Structures are given as C-alpha cells and as structure tokens.
Amino acid sequence: MKTGMITALTALALIPLAACSDAQPTVEKAERSYHIAEPVTTLVIEAHTAVVSIEAGDGPITVKEIRGSTDRAPTTSHRVDGSTLRLTESGCGDAARIRCDVEYQIRVPKATATEVTTGAGAVILRGLDGRMSVTTGAGAVSGDRLTMAEATVMTEAGATELHFLEAPSSVHTESEAGAVEVRVPGNQSYAVDISATVGGSEVSVTRDPAAAHHINVRTGIGGVRVAPA
C-alpha cells in the first residue's frame, strides 16, 4: 500500500516539472543589407508577413531585411524590372510555424512611387513625395511628413494615420475594421466624402465640394477624423 502511494505521489510531483521543461521555440534572426545601383522610380513590395518601413533619404536605395523565424527562414528576393524595384517575401513554406516574418527597413529618394501589399504587418512611410498605394490584410498604416499628390490605403483590419505637409489632390482610404485619421494643411479647402458604418466621424477642415483636393474615407468599423495638420 505504501509503495503504491509513493509511486502515485512521485508521478504527481513530476507533472509540473515536465510542463515547465517545455522550452519556448527559439526565434532565429538573420539580417542582410544591400544597395540598388540602378535608377529606380517605383518600389513594389509583396509580402506574406512583414513590417515595412520606408523613409525618404539621399543617395541610392538601401534595403535592410531582418528575417525572424522559429524554423526555416522566410524566402525573400529582389530584382529591378526597368525602373521598378520589386521586393518579395513568400513565407516559410506550408508547414505551420510560430514565427515567420520579415522587417524591411528601406531608404528611397523622396520622389519614388511606392506600392506595398502585405498579408499581415504594419506599414510605415516617412517623408515621401511619390504616389503611394498600400494594401494590407491585417496591420496598421502610418504616414508622416507626406507631400505626395495621390495616396491610397486599403486595409481589412488596422488603423490608418496619414499626416500631409502639403495638400494632396487625392486621398482614398478603405478599412473593414480600423479607425482612420487624415491630417492635412489647414490653409486649403477639401472635398471630403466619409462613410462610417459603425463609428463616428469628425471633420474640422474647410469643406468645399468643388475643391481641387479630395479626401474619400470608407470604414466598416472605426471612427474617422479629418483635421488640420
């Protein structure tokens, strides 16, 4: 009888120890950086899961990739087609993994047009002047010190914040779930068109349906704010 009790107590004592011994998967990180010598006017990024940061700067385009994974590293590639630089992140394969992503840190000439498409991950843009188009499945989009004439942001889930130093001719944003804030110079009038299914809206810029500057915002769930910068 005593032997049975000792065996049972020993087994119970080992349960939490076994549970505690399960180590978390190690996230392996790898970096690589490169310059693009060819003249480029458009940057196109297509990624499964990536945080994308693009900032205006002098000199040639520079790219840093920081790849994180708990198994096989994500596959990335880059190539120049004519005057377009294409960066691609195609995931880690079919097997389920806890971590598989890339962080892009990119510096481009201010006038470079940008087209970014991600399945998941934040997109951050600073100081850009070229036409901008961002599409994300899940991830916030932030634009600061923007001076481009045209900007388009489409998200399924994630907040959008755009701050313009110069009045854009066209801003179009759509979000299934996520608040939208657009800040523009207050010395101009804007044709503002807002539709928010669930969520309030606030417009504190001067409105004029005939204005040359158009702001169009559509949200399923999320508030909308259009205000002076």
Side-chain angles (χ1 to χ4, degrees):
M1 182 70 175
K2 289 184 179 181
T3 301
M5 290 180 62
I6 292 172
T7 301
L9 289 172
T10 301
L12 288 171
L14 289 174
I15 290 174
L17 292 175
C20 293
S21 67
D22 292 337
Q24 292 296 319
T26 301
V27 177
E28 297 183 358
K29 288 200 171 184
E31 296 185 12
R32 71 167 178 168
S33 299
Y34 47 90
H35 294 74
I36 304 300
E38 298 94 324
V40 168
T41 60
T42 302
L43 169 65
V44 176
I45 301 175
E46 297 181 353
H48 283 200
T49 306
V51 173
V52 178
S53 177
I54 306 173
E55 186 163 11
D58 297 329
I61 293 177
T62 62
V63 181
K64 176 187 281 188
E65 300 178 4
I66 304 173
R67 292 174 286 176
S69 65
T70 52
D71 195 346
R72 188 173 61 187
T75 300
T76 62
S77 65
H78 67 276
R79 73 179 191 275
V80 176
D81 291 334
S83 60
T84 299
L85 171 61
R86 299 183 182 276
L87 306 181
T88 304
E89 182 270 315
S90 52
C92 295
D94 296 332
R97 290 171 174 81
I98 296 175
R99 176 78 178 269
C100 174
D101 58 64
V102 174
E103 178 182 353
Y104 285 106
Q105 297 177 1
I106 306 167
R107 187 185 68 192
V108 299
K110 184 176 183 179
T112 305
T114 54
E115 300 177 15
V116 181
T117 303
T118 69
V123 179
I124 304 158
L125 307 110
R126 299 187 184 95
L128 300 180
D129 184 62
R131 176 180 49 83
M132 178 188 86
S133 175
V134 177
T135 303
T136 70
V141 178
S142 173
D144 189 31
R145 308 191 310 274
L146 305 176
T147 56
M148 73 275 296
E150 298 181 11
T152 301
V153 177
M154 313 286 282
T155 71
E156 292 184 17
T160 298
E161 295 184 12
L162 303 176
H163 177 194
F164 291 87
L165 295 181
E166 297 181 8
S169 59
S170 175
V171 177
H172 181 85
T173 74
E174 293 187 17
S175 175
E176 293 186 16
V180 176
E181 179 175 283
V182 179
R183 289 186 171 272
V184 290
N187 59 352
Q188 298 288 337
S189 298
Y190 300 87
V192 181
D193 183 7
I194 294 175
S195 174
T197 303
V198 179
S201 63
E202 174 188 344
V203 179
S204 52
V205 297
T206 302
R207 302 180 75 163
D208 180 357
H213 308 287
H214 297 260
I215 300 174
N216 185 294
V217 180
R218 299 283 183 268
T219 67
I221 301 174
V224 178
R225 185 183 187 194
V226 179

